[in-house]
Amino acid sequence: MTAELVIAHMESLADAVQAQHSMRFFKTGPGEYGYGDKFLGIKTPVTRSIVARSKALPLSEVEKLLESPWHEVRMCGVLVLVDQFERLSRKALVDDASSIARRDEIVDFYLNHSRCANNWDLVDLSVYKILGKWLMLPSHYNAEEKQAVIDALALSDNLWEQRMSMVCTMQPLKEGNPDFTLRYAKWHLHHSHDLMHKAVGWMLREMGKRVGLDVLREFLQTHAHEMPRTALRYSIEHLSAEERNSWMMK
């Protein structure tokens, strides 16, 4: 399997009607966040089936997928990276020296091509499964260096890299660690874009579910009055109607 064969196969599956629907859904019109993106019209389950046959591609071939103008081909590329990283993160390989080196290599590659994940679905399907897991696994990067990597994404002038810094915190939450979520929720609290309001609220909601409602309530007690309404609304979705109303009144 090569990138050229993958791309040719995906182009053969193009569906113009579905492509138009995807272009509207992912806001590709002038002035919208996905402006200029191009779609073949392939649904995600079909793309995943192609990934299953392409997961052994070397990074040099994955790079060709990530550089494609087609959204679905880039999705294939990021999902191949996810599959490779997850296989190197199995329990038996967590502390294996060659697996650690290979995981770091994939992370470096992902970061070097981060702007190829230029819509929320490409970010959300990959970032916590690669960067988020990496934060919690043995690495040649120490804890301070890892945090510096995510800080750089958070301070980027690119919306999708900023979203990466927030959504990657899902994996630490799954493992009971709210520190990254709290850090970047505060950093992005006054972000101007609705997609970041949603990302902040989503991660705060997950923090309440996975770490504890007391941690969420403590954050809200300090910040609810200054949160964008979208972020606040997302963060409290799983609370009772009475408590949601109370927080929204703040």
Side-chain angles (χ1 to χ4, degrees):
M1 185 64 72
T2 65
E4 184 177 315
L5 289 173
V6 171
I7 294 169
H9 177 56
M10 295 186 78
E11 288 178 339
S12 75
L13 300 175
D15 181 328
V17 173
Q18 180 61 36
Q20 287 299 315
H21 171 76
S22 296
M23 290 172 67
R24 290 191 297 271
F25 183 77
F26 287 105
K27 308 295 184 184
T28 63
E32 295 181 311
Y33 59 73
Y35 176 62
D37 205 355
K38 297 173 63 178
F39 287 78
L40 289 166
I42 302 173
K43 294 185 177 180
T44 300
V46 177
T47 299
R48 286 190 180 278
S49 71
I50 296 168
V51 170
R53 302 193 297 273
S54 310
K55 55 191 178 184
L57 283 174
L59 295 183
S60 59
E61 293 297 298
V62 176
E63 183 172 45
K64 296 173 186 176
L65 300 181
L66 294 179
E67 292 176 347
S68 170
W70 298 115
H71 184 99
E72 297 93 339
V73 174
R74 297 196 306 281
M75 178 183 287
C76 182
V78 298
L79 291 178
V80 167
L81 293 178
V82 167
D83 182 88
Q84 292 183 3
F85 194 89
E86 288 185 330
R87 284 188 286 117
L88 291 163
S89 304
R90 291 176 296 184
K91 187 174 181 179
L93 299 177
V94 164
D95 296 309
D96 174 71
S98 63
S99 297
I100 291 171
R102 178 66 175 147
R103 290 197 302 263
D104 284 350
E105 182 184 13
I106 290 173
V107 165
D108 290 341
F109 179 86
Y110 183 80
L111 291 167
N112 287 334
H113 296 82
S114 57
R115 298 200 178 198
C116 298
N118 61 342
N119 214 311
W120 58 263
D121 61 324
L122 302 181
V123 171
D124 296 358
L125 287 171
S126 63
V127 71
Y128 76 88
K129 295 181 178 181
I130 298 177
L131 291 187
K133 283 190 175 181
W134 173 73
L135 287 173
M136 307 302 288
L137 289 169
S139 167
H140 293 119
Y141 289 79
N142 62 38
E144 292 76 17
E145 290 168 335
K146 287 182 175 182
Q147 183 166 289
V149 166
I150 311 304
D151 284 358
L153 293 173
L155 294 171
S156 168
D157 61 0
N158 179 271
L159 173 64
W160 309 116
E161 291 182 336
Q162 293 165 0
R163 187 173 173 99
M164 284 180 175
S165 73
M166 194 69 242
V167 178
C168 79
T169 72
M170 171 75 86
Q171 186 61 35
L173 289 176
K174 288 184 174 184
E175 299 185 34
N177 183 338
D179 294 346
F180 294 102
T181 298
L182 291 168
R183 179 179 180 84
Y184 299 113
K186 292 172 186 175
W187 282 30
H188 293 307
L189 200 60
H190 300 291
H191 199 285
S192 61
H193 204 291
D194 183 63
L195 284 174
M196 287 303 297
H197 302 170
K198 291 176 180 178
V200 168
W202 173 24
M203 290 303 106
L204 290 173
R205 181 185 71 214
E206 292 299 318
M207 183 178 71
K209 287 169 56 181
R210 297 175 185 277
V211 180
L213 290 177
D214 288 344
V215 181
L216 172 61
R217 290 180 179 121
E218 183 178 353
F219 181 92
L220 294 175
Q221 195 64 50
T222 304
H223 298 289
H225 69 282
E226 59 179 335
M227 291 174 67
R229 289 186 69 82
T230 297
L232 179 57
R233 190 171 65 249
Y234 269 53
S235 71
I236 61 177
E237 280 182 348
H238 293 292
L239 302 179
S240 68
E242 181 180 5
E243 187 172 0
R244 290 199 307 271
N245 289 334
S246 175
W247 287 117
M248 291 303 292
M249 288 296 290
K250 292 182 181 294

